[in-house]
Amino acid sequence: MSLIETMANMDSISIGLWVTGAMLFFVVIGVRVAFAAALAGFLGLLWIFSAKLGFEKGFGVAVKMAGTIPHSKVSTLALSLIPTFILIGFLAYHAGLTRALFEAAKRWLGWLPGGMGVATVFSTAGFAAVSGASVATSAVFARIAVPEMLKLGYDKRFAAGVVAAGGTLASLIPPSAILVIYAIIVEQDVGALLMAGFLPGAVSALIYGGLVILLAKTRKNFGPPITGFSWKQRFQSLPGALPIFFVVGIIVICIYGGVGTPTEAGALGAFVILCMALYRGARWPEVKNSLMETAKLTVMIFTIIWGVLLYVRFLGFADLPSAFSDWIVSLEQSPILTLLLILCAYAVLGMFMDAIGMLLLTLPVVYPAVIALNGGEAVTAAESAFGVSGVGCSIWFGIIVVKMAELCLITPPIGLNCFVVAGVRPECTVQDVFRGCTPFFVADVITIGTLIAFPNIVLWLPSLIGYA
């Protein structure tokens, strides 16, 4: 039997495995995720339809599908959140909100052991509440916080590491572009996912802050606390940071209060920050730069989405997600152990792929398996394997997997935030930043364990708006 006949006689699952293996090979040799996924998806569709209809007709169907998927999937209203969330972050930087936020955190928290590190963690968390991009958060605070810490005698590796790790909070704390992408992939409510990110993001920031204090207590010459600020000076620093809390309030009111959609919340938040930027002296060059940077980052994200959605459509025809779900459920071991193994696989995969591409490629297969492992979409919390309902599992797993994506932003060799900080701060090598991030890797593991053990941390706010 010839090779062509062998390929034509393969079942859909075998085709799915071969094409997925080819896609992973493309990624390993350095092909961008968007193009590797698009090429694998198109070849997979061509393979499946050619086996059924012949090469000529199969080629026509594959080409037609490849041409219509990008528009039909990306034209969804929910994706319009991504550019508005990113624009909020860039405008906030040009409005001077980042420096004002850092100054307020320094005056209020600087007296603690490792005070500048703690201030950096909570100022990045605050900026994350108006920025949907972790890379942008790390880049901004690498310019602001690292020089301040170096002047006070902090080790450059720690100074760079705390900024890189703090920047990851933007992936979890709304507005979050990754949470929006997750919600679209698994077809869950965007508002519920955004609300679910608040408390886990706060818990993650608290664990980071506690880690910094612990390091300051146990290491000699770690970095002196900052004293001397009067209560008057502390309160004087608050007005500059108030616009951030105003934008957070807009998002919460629109989602929780039911007065608008998440898309409208993002647009209104961007308008408020634009007005604040203009009021604080930003002019056309700054606004233009914000728009251009937003456009570049949005195009990058949408390109990944286009390519991966083509691969996802192929997975549907290959029936690989349901086959993987059946295999996961059939394993004779504890469901929680299976979940932990899946998360370990994410940790390894994240060493070689960017966070958005990793989630887009894996969720179409992994998400149905986790839902099935929990007991299905209609299962109650009492009857489930993880102690959460079917709808609750969708939200709970989303927060956990996005936290895993945060973890991948600071792990070698691809950890994007580390490269960004090293690029902004020439005195810090990439190796310095990775070493500085090591303690925060442990903190992230603790956070993930906490979210798994106490799912109500994730589900409490969504339950207030009728979810979970």
Side-chain angles (χ1 to χ4, degrees):
M1 186 180 291
S2 67
L3 176 61
I4 294 178
E5 290 176 336
T6 302
M7 294 174 63
N9 291 328
M10 279 188 182
D11 61 274
S12 60
I13 300 297
S14 298
I15 295 174
L17 292 174
W18 274 101
V19 171
T20 299
M23 183 203 64
L24 293 176
F25 173 75
F26 292 150
V27 172
V28 168
I29 64 174
V31 179
R32 298 281 185 180
V33 171
F35 305 119
L39 178 60
F42 176 75
L43 293 177
L45 290 171
L46 176 61
W47 190 346
I48 285 180
F49 288 118
S50 295
K52 294 179 179 179
L53 307 174
F55 178 79
E56 187 174 345
K57 289 184 178 180
F59 181 79
V61 173
V63 169
K64 183 178 181 181
M65 197 166 291
T68 57
I69 286 174
H71 176 266
S72 63
K73 294 295 183 181
V74 180
S75 59
T76 176
L77 181 63
L79 277 177
S80 63
L81 276 171
I82 293 176
T84 58
F85 283 177
I86 295 172
L87 180 61
I88 287 173
F90 282 114
L91 288 174
Y93 170 69
H94 288 294
L97 295 180
T98 49
R99 188 167 292 279
L101 186 63
F102 181 71
E103 183 63 29
K106 181 173 70 174
R107 295 186 184 186
W108 283 89
L109 301 172
W111 59 273
L112 291 167
M116 283 297 290
V118 178
T120 300
V121 166
F122 284 96
S123 56
T124 54
F127 185 68
V130 293
S131 173
S134 62
V135 172
T137 304
S138 294
V140 166
F141 281 92
R143 294 183 176 94
I144 298 173
V146 172
E148 295 269 1
M149 284 187 277
L150 294 180
K151 287 179 184 177
L152 291 172
Y154 282 82
D155 181 78
K156 66 178 181 178
R157 289 176 295 184
F158 169 80
V162 71
V163 169
T168 66
L169 296 173
S171 297
L172 197 58
I173 299 175
S176 166
I178 294 184
L179 279 176
V180 174
I181 292 171
Y182 173 87
I184 291 169
I185 295 172
V186 304
E187 298 180 348
Q188 291 296 318
D189 185 83
V190 174
L193 263 299
L194 292 176
M195 290 294 288
F198 276 109
L199 284 183
V203 169
S204 187
L206 287 171
I207 291 176
Y208 277 178
L211 172 67
V212 173
I213 293 173
L214 179 64
L215 292 174
K217 288 281 191 179
T218 56
R219 292 184 180 180
K220 293 182 179 180
N221 303 319
F222 183 78
I226 303 173
T227 57
F229 289 113
S230 66
W231 284 103
K232 180 180 179 181
Q233 290 174 315
R234 290 173 178 170
F235 281 106
Q236 285 176 340
S237 69
L238 292 180
L242 285 180
I244 288 178
F245 298 102
F246 185 53
V247 172
V248 173
I250 289 173
I251 295 173
V252 172
I253 291 172
C254 283
I255 297 173
Y256 177 64
V259 298
T261 65
T263 301
E264 292 166 343
L268 184 57
F271 176 74
V272 169
I273 294 296
L274 173 62
C275 293
M276 181 57 61
L278 294 175
Y279 175 77
R280 293 194 170 203
R283 293 297 178 258
W284 172 240
E286 290 81 10
V287 175
K288 178 183 177 182
N289 184 58
S290 297
L291 293 171
M292 290 299 296
E293 292 299 321
T294 299
K296 291 176 183 177
L297 193 52
T298 301
V299 168
M300 182 195 74
I301 293 173
F302 273 50
T303 301
I304 296 173
I305 294 173
W306 288 334
V308 173
L309 284 177
L310 186 59
Y311 170 71
V312 169
R313 177 62 62 89
F314 156 70
L315 287 180
F317 282 104
D319 205 29
L320 203 58
S322 61
F324 184 73
S325 299
D326 294 340
W327 176 71
I328 286 291
V329 174
S330 69
L331 295 175
E332 295 181 358
Q333 62 185 24
S334 167
I336 197 69
L337 177 59
T338 303
L339 176 65
L340 293 176
L341 291 175
I342 289 173
L343 296 181
C344 288
Y346 269 114
V348 174
L349 192 60
M351 294 180 181
F352 307 99
M353 297 180 65
D354 67 277
I356 293 176
M358 180 181 69
L359 295 186
L360 283 167
L361 288 176
T362 58
L363 282 174
V365 176
V366 173
Y367 171 78
V370 171
I371 297 298
L373 196 63
N374 186 53
E377 295 182 352
V379 71
T380 63
E383 299 171 339
S384 66
F386 303 133
V388 293
S389 66
V391 175
C393 185
S394 302
I395 298 172
W396 173 69
F397 178 67
I399 297 301
I400 291 174
V401 80
V402 167
K403 185 61 188 175
M404 288 301 303
E406 287 186 4
L407 186 67
C408 298
L409 290 170
I410 57 173
T411 53
I414 303 296
L416 191 57
N417 280 19
C418 297
F419 282 94
V420 168
V421 173
V424 174
R425 306 306 315 178
E427 67 268 37
C428 300
T429 65
V430 175
Q431 290 78 9
D432 289 333
V433 186
F434 278 126
R435 289 177 182 173
C437 286
T438 302
F440 297 96
F441 178 90
V442 177
D444 280 341
V445 172
I446 295 173
T447 302
I448 292 167
T450 302
L451 298 180
I452 292 175
F454 304 101
N456 281 335
I457 295 175
V458 175
L459 299 177
W460 181 66
L461 282 178
S463 69
L464 297 179
I465 56 174
Y467 285 85

